[in-house]
Structure formats: structure tokens, C-alpha cells
Amino acid sequence: MAIRPAEQLIHKAAWLYYAHGLRQDEVASQLNISRASVAMYLRKARETGIVNISTSTQLFTDDVMARKVEDAFGLDAVWIAPENAYLADPSTDIAVLAASVFLELVKKGDRIGVAWGRTVYTIADIMSFADLQDVTVVQLCGNLGAPYSYRPDQCTMEIARRLNAKGLNFYAPLVLSTEELAKSLRAEPVIRDQLAGIADCDLSLYSVGAVDADSHLVKCGALTPAEMEALRSQGAAGVIAGQIIDARGEMLDCSYNRRVISAALASLRAIEKRLMVVQEDTKFEPLLAAIAGGLCTHLVIGAHMADRLLQYAEAATKKAS
């Protein structure tokens, strides 16, 4: 059911006050209303349950731009966080929204695949606690060394903790030293069964990584900046669950990918709801690659990224005609 225009300000006031911690006078300034009106709206929000942040995501699903992105790229659902000048880091809005969307998508008995990285860990850290029944959270790829932040096992277990769910970690490295060793490890029954079970997930949560010196793969030591640059020259366009994809969203044919322990792209595509969250505008090309490869069905992005996607789609349509 769509939110009626009369309810829009109530939802917006609740979102700014409860999700971002703005004072009532700051909410009044943002919405150009009186402080007394803010107090009244917040009271109505408490009385009607709007203060449950998960219900406020409907405010973003009704956005016209979100519908246009869905139509242009064949996505099931898109949520767009607006640009807010009051935030020092606009990506915070995207993470808050993504955490709420994720909680809405999780159902009783679901099996959830989780990747890694700063975006995923931020979502886990922001996420409200929920007591869901028979939910299992599984790690989508091998692990990284202890000094590295945002490790796959940390992301998986923190989300499992927030959901009061069972967490299943991958007790294998993300990348091995040789292709032969990786092949042998993937053949081990425990690893083989865990990889095979990923296609049975109902929902996945991940972002898409860049292929440059700031990539998590470079920062964690899996690849050197020179190796990443060489892969980029070979067609690398993005990183999904520790694997490098090309502009079509297919696995890049390279030694690195053959040394990785991670869910096959076919297994990821078999997951019904594939929620992708992109905070940084620098990930435009990686996002296009992920969408092209069918690795995203549900998307949370910022308004600027949404505008870039629509401009790209319009240009592609004109070129085709």
C-alpha cells in the first residue's frame, strides 16, 4: 500500500529523528516546518508504529527515480537514499536504508549468503536486532588474514548475531598460493558441500568492489597494485565475493580467480533475492558489470548513482536506435 501524501512528513520526520539522531529543531529546519509540528509528527509516529525503521523504507520504494532504474535495468526492486547536505558522509544514509531493506527481505527459515567488505560490515553494525526463527547466515567466500578489517567471517557472524540466527563460517582462505592447491581444497568434502549449498540460499547480501589500488583485494594483500592494474588491462571490471568479474559480469579468466575459494557465480545467480548495496560513486563501472551479469536483483544506492545509471541507460537506448 502506497504512503498517502499526508503521511509523507510523518515518515520523513521519524526517519531524520530516529535513524539519524537529529534534534527536533534540526528536523524542523530540514523539512521547513515548525518544531511544534515535528513534535506532533513524532508522537503520531510512535502511536502508529512508523518509528519502526523498517516500515520507513516504503518511503523510498515509492520514489519515481527508483521505478525508472528498475525498468531500465530489469531489477526487482530499487531503493534510493536521497542526498542529504546535513550528513558529513552521505554513504551513512545508504547503509541505514540498506540495513532496513535487508531486515524486510529476511523471512522465517531463510538461508542467507553474506560476502564481506566495508559496506557489508557497516550494514551489519547499523542493523537493528531481530529475533528471527530458523534463519541461517552463511559465508560466501573464504577468509582473510587476522589483521584485515571487514573480514568475511566477521561480517557473517555479526549479521547472524543481529538476527539471532545460526552462522556458518568458511574455514578456508580466500585465495591460495597455487591453482592446484585451490582445486584440491575445493574438492574436500566439507568445502565442496558448503560451496554447493550456496545456491540453496534465499537471500544474499553483498556489494561490488573496485579494481584499483583502493580495492579490498589490494588492501588485504591478496593482490599487489601492479597485479590489479594488469588484471584491469585484461578486462577486470569489478569484484564479487572476492572474485574478479569482467564488464559482462562473467568470471575473468585469470590465475587469481582459479586460486580463489568462493561461491561460483552460477550459485550466486541461483539465489532468488540478490541484494546489492553500493555506497561509493567510484563503483559505477563495477555496478554496471554486476547488473549485466545478473548478480543483482535488489539494489540500494544513492541518488547521484541512480542519476548516473539513468543517464547511462538513456545513452545506451539512443545509441541502439
Side-chain angles (χ1 to χ4, degrees), residues 139-192:
Q139 192 173 317
L140 291 177
C141 60
N143 212 18
L144 300 164
Y148 187 69
S149 301
Y150 323 125
R151 298 195 318 262
D153 61 332
Q154 290 178 318
C155 293
T156 300
M157 297 313 293
E158 183 59 25
I159 289 179
R161 189 174 75 88
R162 299 283 172 143
L163 300 179
N164 194 25
K166 179 181 179 181
L168 294 179
N169 283 138
F170 234 131
Y171 294 105
L174 173 64
V175 57
L176 282 83
S177 56
T178 68
E179 296 178 24
E180 293 76 13
L181 187 57
K183 183 177 180 180
S184 297
L185 187 54
R186 282 192 290 267
E188 284 293 317
V190 172
I191 304 299
R192 182 190 64 213

Side-chain angles (χ1 to χ4, degrees), residues 228-247:
M228 180 61 85
E229 180 60 31
L231 289 171
R232 186 175 179 84
S233 68
Q234 296 172 31
V239 181
I240 296 286
Q243 302 167 96
I244 296 177
I245 59 173
D246 62 20

Side-chain angles (χ1 to χ4, degrees), residues 96-214:
V96 170
L97 177 57
S100 299
V101 168
F102 177 76
L103 287 175
E104 286 187 353
L105 293 176
V106 178
K107 306 300 179 186
K108 176 182 176 181
D110 272 358
R111 186 177 177 91
I112 304 167
V114 172
W116 59 295
R118 184 177 71 89
T119 297
V120 174
Y121 193 81
T122 301
I123 292 169
D125 192 48
I126 288 174
M127 190 182 302
S128 300
F129 286 89
D131 189 10
L132 300 176
Q133 298 180 16
D134 302 321
V135 171
T136 302
V137 183
V138 301
Q139 192 173 317
L140 291 177
C141 60
N143 212 18
L144 300 164
Y148 187 69
S149 301
Y150 323 125
R151 298 195 318 262
D153 61 332
Q154 290 178 318
C155 293
T156 300
M157 297 313 293
E158 183 59 25
I159 289 179
R161 189 174 75 88
R162 299 283 172 143
L163 300 179
N164 194 25
K166 179 181 179 181
L168 294 179
N169 283 138
F170 234 131
Y171 294 105
L174 173 64
V175 57
L176 282 83
S177 56
T178 68
E179 296 178 24
E180 293 76 13
L181 187 57
K183 183 177 180 180
S184 297
L185 187 54
R186 282 192 290 267
E188 284 293 317
V190 172
I191 304 299
R192 182 190 64 213
D193 292 346
Q194 191 163 356
L195 287 171
I198 288 173
D200 296 327
C201 288
D202 305 284
L203 169 66
S204 61
L205 170 65
Y206 45 52
S207 186
V208 57
V211 286
D212 53 29
D214 291 327

Side-chain angles (χ1 to χ4, degrees), residues 303-320:
H304 186 254
M305 179 68 85
D307 185 60
R308 290 184 69 185
L309 287 173
L310 290 176
Q311 289 183 36
Y312 175 88
E314 182 179 355
T317 299
K318 288 181 178 178
K319 184 177 180 180

